[in-house]
Amino acid sequence: MVSKSPSSLVVTVIIALLSLGVGLVIGYLLRPFPENSKEHKSLEGWINDAEGAGDDKLAALEMLRDCGQLAREDPVISKHLIESDVEACRALTCDIPYPRTYVIYKLRGEAIDLDGKLDEKAWKNVGWTDSFVDIQGRGLPSPRLETKVKMRYDDSFLFIGVFIEEPDIWANVSLHDGTVYQDNSFQILMDTRQSNVNYKEITINAKGIISDLMMTKAYVDSGEPLTFWESDVMSEVHIQGTLNNPKKQDEYWTIEMAIPFTAMYQGSGASLNRSAPEPGETWRANFLRAQWPIRNFGTYYEKLTDASTEWWVWQSPEVINVHLPERWGLLQFQDTAINSTRFQTSDRWITTNALLDTFAALKAFHAVTGRYTDKKELLHLPPYIVSGKCLADLSIELDWSGFKVTAKPLGKNKEEGHTRTDHFLWFGKEDMQYF
């Protein structure tokens, strides 16, 4: 009888365990799909089917895997490199996630007295936005201080109410169009046409000092701030505490603003040449809170230069740059009874995202090669764009300025969408106003 050494026994056991593990994995991967796996479900539907399992993330992942597998069985989708089950499933279901949304209800006999207090019935009747998050988004702690917004409108003005929790309320800038953003401040950014150009920025500090401008386009697109633009905003600040008094701890400050639509529509093109939004009209928007680090010395505040500023936003762009209008949230105007409707989705949503994603892919290609291309197969495009299930067609035309992308939606009598090298995005007739 030949005896085995202890080391050979260990090796034998390890090999046996590995073989068993590999067998179990292969058996799991080759298991038959559920009988209803051929059903066409939305991406959200596949995930919701796992809710019966409670917090069982494995069940949710299995459902998503089934959807991804179905997508990969499609002859068109299977031609493209799919990085994840989410992307594969999205190419099949065409479910493009929405950012944060807020429905703005029209005033109906209610009045808003601009005193900064937000105590009118018009404000109490509507809900707040979601609380602000860190500008970098997922994976980072929630802001330590609360910030939230409410909105209403009438035939002339957009009304904005803001709550800002703050134990040390201070402000230094006292000049209109000064560097208000260098104080603890609140900033409004709005793109009335969702076009990425000629969007508006309004900043206010605890003194009620305003800085306003129009951006020709985002800074990353070589945009310029037009400081001659005036919002004509009317505003009041209420301070629950004291201003610039380090000896007393404060609670919060609130803001009421009334912004005329005539100012907000400037530069939006002839298609938005009106004095008030139509019901269902949707704007891109974001709100930013700048929280500068300070030290309280008892008799004065000192702004710290060796610590990072905290930037808190309504909709996170996932990077420390709020000037990315394509990553903002969505505001929708509704002339219905308060809380009687949800945010209404748009049949342009898929087309808009396809244009934005193709723009990003073209810019990435240019960064590597120094040129643009009209060949989609050379671009790293999300699978939903090329699956044939979400768009009727997408084409790229090269011209003297760079490129023009045209996306044709599915269905009859739907306007094509376009974008070009400067990031301008539009549907139908191109009627951008230049400044």
Side-chain angles (χ1 to χ4, degrees):
M1 181 176 180
V2 179
S3 62
K4 294 184 178 180
S5 66
S7 59
S8 62
L9 285 173
V10 171
V11 171
T12 302
V13 170
I14 291 175
I15 292 174
L17 289 173
L18 287 174
S19 300
L20 177 61
V22 171
L24 289 173
V25 170
I26 292 175
Y28 173 78
L29 293 176
L30 294 180
R31 77 196 191 287
F33 290 117
E35 292 182 1
N36 65 348
S37 64
K38 296 295 182 182
E39 294 178 3
H40 181 79
K41 302 179 183 179
S42 69
L43 178 56
E44 183 181 5
W46 285 96
I47 297 175
N48 287 343
D49 279 350
E51 287 185 351
D55 295 329
D56 189 348
K57 293 183 179 180
L58 179 59
L61 291 173
E62 286 183 16
M63 290 293 179
L64 187 57
R65 176 186 174 277
D66 291 344
C67 180
Q69 179 64 30
L70 275 181
R72 290 185 177 90
E73 292 174 1
D74 183 275
V76 176
I77 299 175
S78 63
K79 294 179 181 178
H80 302 275
L81 178 64
I82 309 279
E83 294 183 347
S84 68
D85 284 325
V86 171
E87 284 200 6
C89 190
R90 186 164 291 144
L92 182 68
T93 64
C94 307
D95 274 10
I96 311 300
Y98 274 79
R100 285 182 163 184
T101 61
Y102 185 88
V103 176
I104 308 175
Y105 290 99
K106 192 171 186 179
L107 292 169
R108 293 188 164 193
E110 305 144 296
I112 292 179
D113 179 23
L114 288 180
D115 57 8
K117 294 183 179 180
L118 306 181
D119 55 2
E120 294 91 350
K121 183 179 179 181
W123 290 125
K124 293 179 180 178
N125 286 341
V126 296
W128 294 99
T129 61
D130 294 312
S131 296
F132 282 26
V133 297
D134 188 276
I135 194 170
Q136 296 181 81
R138 291 170 292 183
L140 291 173
S142 298
R144 53 192 171 81
L145 300 172
E146 179 75 272
T147 315
K148 51 190 178 182
V149 180
K150 291 184 177 186
M151 284 162 279
R152 301 296 301 271
Y153 79 106
D154 63 15
D155 290 331
S156 301
F157 295 94
L158 169 62
F159 296 93
I160 301 179
V162 187
F163 174 88
I164 300 174
E165 182 186 10
E166 177 57 72
D168 292 292
I169 301 175
W170 62 275
N172 292 325
V173 178
S174 299
L175 181 66
H176 175 73
D177 279 347
T179 55
V180 178
Y181 63 89
Q182 290 288 347
D183 288 342
N184 280 358
S185 55
F186 180 81
Q187 188 173 102
I188 298 165
L189 300 114
M190 292 188 173
D191 180 357
T192 57
R193 192 178 173 182
Q194 303 184 56
S195 63
N196 302 319
V197 300
N198 294 340
Y199 63 86
K200 316 305 188 298
E201 174 191 308
I202 304 172
T203 309
I204 185 170
N205 65 10
K207 285 185 176 182
I209 302 300
I210 296 289
S211 170
D212 44 17
L213 56 87
M214 179 192 300
M215 289 294 301
T216 58
K217 48 192 173 182
Y219 288 107
V220 295
D221 297 318
S222 301
E224 295 288 339
L226 304 181
T227 56
F228 62 78
W229 177 78
E230 291 296 329
S231 64
D232 297 324
V233 60
M234 296 181 289
S235 62
E236 289 293 337
V237 171
H238 169 73
I239 295 175
Q240 192 66 24
T242 56
L243 178 65
N244 293 332
N245 185 356
K247 296 180 180 180
K248 294 186 178 181
Q249 181 168 312
D250 308 310
E251 295 183 41
Y252 61 85
W253 54 296
T254 51
I255 310 166
E256 278 184 318
M257 309 177 81
I259 310 172
F261 287 119
T262 51
M264 296 302 290
Y265 280 130
Q266 290 177 16
S268 298
S271 61
L272 288 182
N273 185 18
R274 49 178 173 263
S275 59
E278 296 178 351
E281 186 172 316
T282 304
W283 295 4
R284 283 273 191 184
N286 212 347
F287 305 101
L288 170 74
R289 174 178 176 177
Q291 190 73 12
W292 294 89
I294 61 167
R295 181 176 290 119
N296 186 333
F297 284 94
T299 56
Y300 66 95
Y301 294 119
E302 180 179 287
K303 190 175 176 182
L304 304 180
T305 58
D306 58 349
S308 299
T309 306
E310 295 174 287
W311 306 99
W312 302 329
V313 294
W314 174 49
Q315 171 66 43
S316 168
E318 305 290 338
V319 293
I320 306 178
N321 181 6
V322 75
H323 284 274
L324 298 172
E326 71 275 18
R327 299 190 184 187
W328 295 348
L330 295 170
L331 306 179
Q332 189 171 85
F333 298 86
Q334 291 290 357
D335 186 9
T336 59
I338 292 174
N339 301 325
S340 65
T341 183
R342 293 184 177 183
F343 182 90
Q344 303 299 303
T345 58
S346 170
D347 58 4
R348 289 182 172 182
W349 183 242
I350 293 175
T351 308
T352 297
N353 279 271
L355 292 168
L356 294 172
D357 285 337
T358 305
F359 175 92
L362 281 162
K363 289 293 184 177
F365 183 86
H366 185 275
V368 174
T369 66
R371 62 185 179 88
Y372 295 113
T373 180
D374 56 0
K375 296 179 174 57
K376 289 180 287 186
E377 61 269 21
L378 297 181
L379 300 174
H380 186 60
L381 294 172
Y384 78 90
I385 292 179
V386 293
S387 69
K389 300 183 182 300
C390 307
L391 292 172
D393 186 39
L394 184 137
S395 61
I396 303 168
E397 177 185 350
L398 302 182
D399 57 27
W400 64 270
S401 67
F403 62 81
K404 176 183 176 182
V405 181
T406 298
K408 185 177 181 180
L410 295 172
K412 296 181 179 180
N413 302 320
K414 292 185 178 180
E415 286 186 317
E416 295 179 341
H418 313 272
T419 192
R420 64 189 190 198
T421 320
D422 63 356
H423 221 168
F424 178 43
L425 188 151
W426 74 99
F427 284 81
K429 181 182 177 182
E430 179 183 348
D431 62 350
M432 174 181 170
Q433 291 183 4
Y434 294 88
F435 286 84

